[in-house]
Amino acid sequence: MEAVRDAGVVVTGAGGGIGAALARRFAAAGARVVVNDLDGVKARVVAEEIGGVAVPGDASAIVAEARDVLDGRVDVYCANAGLASGGTEAADEKVWALAWDVNVMAHVRAAHELIPDWLERGSGRFVSTVSAAGLLTMVGAAPYSVTKHGAYAFAEWLSLTYRHRGVKVHAICPQGVRTDMLANTGSAGDLVLQPTAIEPEAVADALFAGIEEDRFLILPHPEVAGYYQARATDPDRWLTNMNHIQQKWEADDR
Ligand SMILES: NC(=O)c1ccc[n+]([C@@H]2O[C@H](COP(=O)([O-])OP(=O)(O)OC[C@H]3O[C@@H](n4cnc5c(N)ncnc54)[C@H](O)[C@@H]3O)[C@@H](O)[C@H]2O)c1
């Protein structure tokens, strides 16, 4: 694809799952890819496989190093690293803080470093791996749902603020994707996400279709558009239906 050939691309959390699929897809399209992951071994394995460069570490603080690796220029930044923090409002303060830091603030910090360059050049692409939970809210996962809504809002804000200045933003909002994260999501994931789970490669396909069509909202599960519309049209009805899922989960879990 012309839009990404030779582009300098960074993918965070790319040692496995969706991030690795994105990294492979960008590399196959001719991009130069920086593979970031907190787990250095996993980052190096994927980087070696795709002919990219591993930059291990916390996704919050890798833009400068990635830019150096890419000869001074990041064209595409995929803010993909994320944590599936389950729990209720009573979740530990540390759980809330970590979810906030990885799922939202890492995106804010990266954008803060990338945007000045992109505005000067009049181009740049920010890809946020959000989740359908950022549009719809996930049962049993308050910190995840709240921070993914935050990530979605931040992506929207970037797009509406800079779209006339050449910055393109995509928000990927899948439901279940067969990765380690989904495998560890427990009974709520089994009930809500597993039945319609897709492969990580399908998420990469959906992103590339969205890039081609210049679309902000990327829905690897197209049915999410209908759920999102139903939520906006009749919030109480939607909440009642979601509460039925909550009750089923509680009954199954007993
Ligand atoms: N799997 C799903 O069902 C699903 C659905 C919707 C959205 N998502 C989102 O997709 C993204 C990727 O998830 P996945 O399913 O591939 O998960 P995964 O757990 O398989 O992979 C995530 C990777 O991110 C790395 N990581 C975690 N914290 C990091 C940090 N601070 N800095 C750098 N790397 C870090 C992990 O080491 C891991 O390799 C996440 O943002 C997740 O919320 C996943």
Side-chain angles (χ1 to χ4, degrees), residues 79-152:
N80 170 80
L83 286 181
S85 315
T88 67
E89 80 292 343
D92 199 288
E93 288 273 345
K94 285 191 193 128
V95 171
W96 277 100
L98 189 60
W100 180 248
D101 203 62
V102 179
N103 293 347
V104 182
M105 290 312 296
H107 300 203
V108 175
R109 293 181 191 117
H112 181 64
E113 288 201 57
L114 293 161
I115 291 289
D117 243 29
W118 287 353
L119 295 184
E120 206 175 296
R121 280 195 270 125
S123 71
R125 196 180 292 276
F126 192 94
V127 179
S128 178
T129 308
V130 185
S131 168
L135 302 172
L136 299 170
T137 304
M138 172 67 186
V139 296
Y144 188 70
S145 299
V146 170
T147 56
K148 288 295 185 177
H149 275 258
Y152 187 73

Side-chain angles (χ1 to χ4, degrees), residues 30-228:
R32 296 167 294 124
V33 182
V34 164
V35 179
N36 158 260
D37 204 283
L38 210 46
D39 183 327
V41 174
K42 284 162 85 182
R44 277 185 277 275
V45 168
V46 174
E48 199 164 308
E49 176 201 323
I50 66 171
V53 177
V55 173
D58 188 333
S60 259
I62 53 126
V63 170
E65 191 179 343
R67 191 184 276 133
D68 284 350
V69 167
L70 295 169
D71 301 326
R73 177 172 166 156
V74 175
D75 299 298
V76 181
Y77 187 89
C78 300
N80 170 80
L83 286 181
S85 315
T88 67
E89 80 292 343
D92 199 288
E93 288 273 345
K94 285 191 193 128
V95 171
W96 277 100
L98 189 60
W100 180 248
D101 203 62
V102 179
N103 293 347
V104 182
M105 290 312 296
H107 300 203
V108 175
R109 293 181 191 117
H112 181 64
E113 288 201 57
L114 293 161
I115 291 289
D117 243 29
W118 287 353
L119 295 184
E120 206 175 296
R121 280 195 270 125
S123 71
R125 196 180 292 276
F126 192 94
V127 179
S128 178
T129 308
V130 185
S131 168
L135 302 172
L136 299 170
T137 304
M138 172 67 186
V139 296
Y144 188 70
S145 299
V146 170
T147 56
K148 288 295 185 177
H149 275 258
Y152 187 73
F154 184 64
E156 271 188 343
W157 183 86
L158 282 178
S159 185
L160 71 87
T161 304
Y162 298 117
R163 61 169 47 209
H164 66 302
R165 300 182 67 182
V167 176
K168 296 185 182 294
V169 183
H170 308 277
I172 313 176
C173 297
Q175 293 189 296
V177 183
R178 288 190 198 95
T179 67
D180 290 352
M181 180 181 283
L182 180 58
N184 295 324
T185 303
S187 53
D190 292 346
L191 176 68
V192 179
L193 303 174
Q194 289 284 6
T196 57
I198 57 176
E199 297 301 326
E201 291 71 26
V203 178
D205 288 345
L207 172 63
F208 269 59
I211 291 175
E212 199 97 74
E213 292 160 17
D214 206 8
R215 244 186 310 108
F216 169 78
L217 181 55
I218 312 291
L219 296 177
H221 297 77
E223 61 271 31
V224 168
Y227 307 151
Y228 192 39

